[in-house]
Amino acid sequence: MAGAGGGGCPAGGNDFQWCFSQVKGAIDEDVAEADIISTVEFNYSGDLLATGDKGGRVVIFQREQEVPILKPMDLMVEASPRRIFANAHTYHINSISVNSDHETYLSADDLRINLWHLEITDRSFNIVDIKPANMEELTEVITAAEFHPHQCNVFVYSSSKGTIRLCDMRSSALCDRHSKFFEEPEDPSSRSFFSEIISSISDVKFSHSGRYMMTRDYLSVKVWDLNMESRPVETHQVHEYLRSKLCSLYENDCIFDKFECCWNGSDSAIMTGSYNNFFRMFDRDTRRDVTLEASRESSKPRASLKPRKVCTGGKRRKDEISVDSLDFNKKILHTAWHPVDNVIAVAATNNLYIFQDKIN
């Protein structure tokens, strides 16, 4: 166990002044597939931070109250599975979400969403099934799903067609008919071969208040008001400069990368990842945004993170990086924001970076 962050201010003042806290991971250039971090998340209090990797390992960090330091310790807890919920999915599970009733949770794969009771392991209830009778007629798949943070009967799921469906389990046991359907009409003039691929939603997250939800597609993050289905209330461009690179990104399969997104504790700011170990922050109140980099070069204690800028053409300034120089093998797919303080966790391949608000 090790300290997982320093003190921070309440997550409300988003001046984007961040400094390095600590990094955990190997420096090796050749990273084994099993060591790549596949998820990162704080618990509800923010005292614990968990990461999982592709090798099936889960590591839990505990936050210390004084200026945290990383020190080797003997294994204090050896985890063993208490329950195994099996044989309910044919395809890879893409989402797990615990309900606000603390008794049930959902699991989703490409075609189905199942509802489980935490005390019953041998059966589940199928609440969404989009599998057609003839698989050749399949036009979309489920990409993410999540329960509402306060209403235990409500959940949403997103699709590869860029749509989000909100379902109410009170209306029907099988939620094939959604209560609300969120979709932004596509501009016909901008349609291309890549339109459907880049519109696929890779993540959906309710705000802590439950009033909004956020979706991430390949190029942008969108914020939706649950009371308005026709269009998002906010659209934040993450790396629009890659639009001209979609052909090469398709050839190297990067266009299929699944970026996640997260809210800060007060829902006033959002964060998501990009390439070259860049990650983006957006202040919803001031409409300011910043690009920061998770790098060992700036991993000195309390070292300030300098905003990064990408140059798309013309003369490049000294503090800019050319879009042609971006490293697409370095990508930040998973991020987490402390539920109370301005402390963030960023997973960059096999390294976990912790940053905190510079003011504190």
Side-chain angles (χ1 to χ4, degrees):
M1 307 286 268
C9 68
N14 305 310
D15 55 3
F16 295 140
Q17 298 295 314
W18 293 86
C19 64
F20 172 81
S21 178
Q22 56 181 291
V23 60
K24 173 68 175 173
I27 312 179
D28 300 340
E29 290 293 328
D30 297 326
V31 180
E33 179 78 10
D35 294 333
I36 296 176
I37 297 174
S38 57
T39 188
V40 55
E41 189 169 354
F42 285 99
N43 74 329
Y44 69 95
S45 68
D47 291 332
L48 300 176
L49 175 66
T51 66
D53 62 28
K54 292 189 175 182
R57 294 163 294 199
V58 176
V59 179
I60 299 176
F61 300 89
Q62 184 172 9
R63 186 178 182 184
E64 307 271 337
Q65 292 306 315
E66 64 272 5
V67 178
I69 57 173
L70 191 64
K71 55 185 180 182
M73 296 184 68
D74 293 331
L75 183 64
M76 298 172 62
V77 178
E78 184 171 344
S80 59
R82 294 178 59 186
R83 299 180 182 89
I84 297 178
F85 302 81
N87 304 322
H89 288 279
T90 306
Y91 306 95
H92 291 298
I93 296 172
N94 56 47
S95 300
I96 291 178
S97 178
V98 179
N99 201 346
S100 60
D101 63 11
H102 302 296
E103 293 182 351
T104 57
Y105 73 94
L106 65 78
S107 59
D109 64 25
D110 287 353
L111 300 179
R112 293 187 176 95
I113 300 177
N114 293 328
L115 179 68
W116 300 82
H117 193 283
L118 289 169
E119 301 297 329
I120 303 174
T121 62
D122 60 350
R123 64 184 182 275
S124 63
F125 297 96
N126 180 229
I127 53 176
V128 173
D129 188 345
I130 66 169
K131 184 178 180 180
N134 182 358
M135 284 296 284
E136 293 182 358
E137 299 174 358
L138 182 67
T139 60
E140 64 179 329
V141 295
I142 297 168
T143 56
E146 186 177 59
F147 266 120
H148 191 278
H150 310 300
Q151 301 174 27
C152 62
N153 53 289
V154 173
F155 68 94
V156 295
Y157 68 94
S158 57
S159 88
S160 56
K161 280 195 170 183
T163 61
I164 311 102
R165 293 170 173 85
L166 184 144
C167 302
D168 189 336
M169 293 189 294
R170 294 175 300 184
S171 59
S172 173
L174 186 62
C175 300
D176 284 350
R177 293 186 179 180
H178 49 268
S179 300
K180 293 187 177 182
F181 183 78
F182 299 84
E183 181 180 30
E184 184 176 29
E186 182 186 14
D187 182 1
S189 63
S190 63
R191 181 161 183 80
S192 70
F193 170 79
F194 305 107
S195 293
E196 187 167 323
I197 301 175
I198 63 176
S199 67
S200 176
I201 295 174
S202 55
D203 196 18
V204 58
K205 293 280 175 59
F206 279 110
S207 63
H208 295 88
S209 68
R211 170 70 186 274
Y212 302 95
M213 65 179 174
M214 168 173 53
T215 59
R216 172 69 204 264
D217 56 43
Y218 190 66
L219 295 179
S220 66
V221 171
K222 296 173 182 176
V223 176
W224 303 77
D225 188 321
L226 295 189
N227 297 320
M228 188 169 72
E229 304 170 52
S230 58
R231 64 182 184 277
V233 292
E234 301 170 26
T235 299
H236 303 280
Q237 301 301 332
V238 178
H239 39 216
E240 181 65 19
Y241 48 78
L242 294 182
R243 189 174 291 274
S244 62
K245 302 289 184 182
L246 292 179
C247 187
S248 57
L249 291 167
Y250 177 79
E251 292 175 351
N252 63 17
D253 283 343
C254 284
I255 200 170
F256 301 106
D257 285 334
K258 307 298 183 185
F259 292 94
E260 297 177 358
C261 50
C262 64
W263 302 85
N264 73 338
S266 63
D267 298 334
S268 61
I270 55 182
M271 174 172 59
T272 191
S274 183
Y275 294 104
N276 210 68
N277 277 2
F278 288 169
F279 58 99
R280 300 272 283 140
M281 288 183 170
F282 302 92
D283 188 314
R284 300 183 58 215
D285 297 326
T286 65
R287 304 297 252 174
R288 292 170 55 225
D289 64 89
V290 69
T291 301
L292 301 173
E293 181 181 8
S295 169
R296 285 185 177 269
E297 295 177 3
S298 58
S299 60
K300 296 179 181 178
R302 304 293 296 178
S304 298
L305 294 186
K306 296 180 179 179
R308 303 303 306 268
K309 294 182 180 179
V310 177
C311 174
T312 56
K315 190 174 182 180
R316 182 174 64 88
R317 296 180 181 177
K318 185 178 180 181
D319 61 340
E320 294 180 333
I321 181 172
S322 169
V323 67
D324 296 318
S325 301
L326 296 176
D327 188 342
F328 294 105
N329 291 316
K330 295 181 178 179
K331 60 193 76 172
I332 292 178
L333 303 178
H334 315 287
T335 60
W337 207 313
H338 191 283
V340 179
D341 298 334
N342 268 343
V343 175
I344 58 174
V346 174
T349 315
N350 65 324
N351 290 293
L352 177 67
Y353 290 85
I354 309 293
F355 302 105
Q356 65 187 60
D357 195 313
K358 184 181 178 182
I359 296 175
N360 290 271

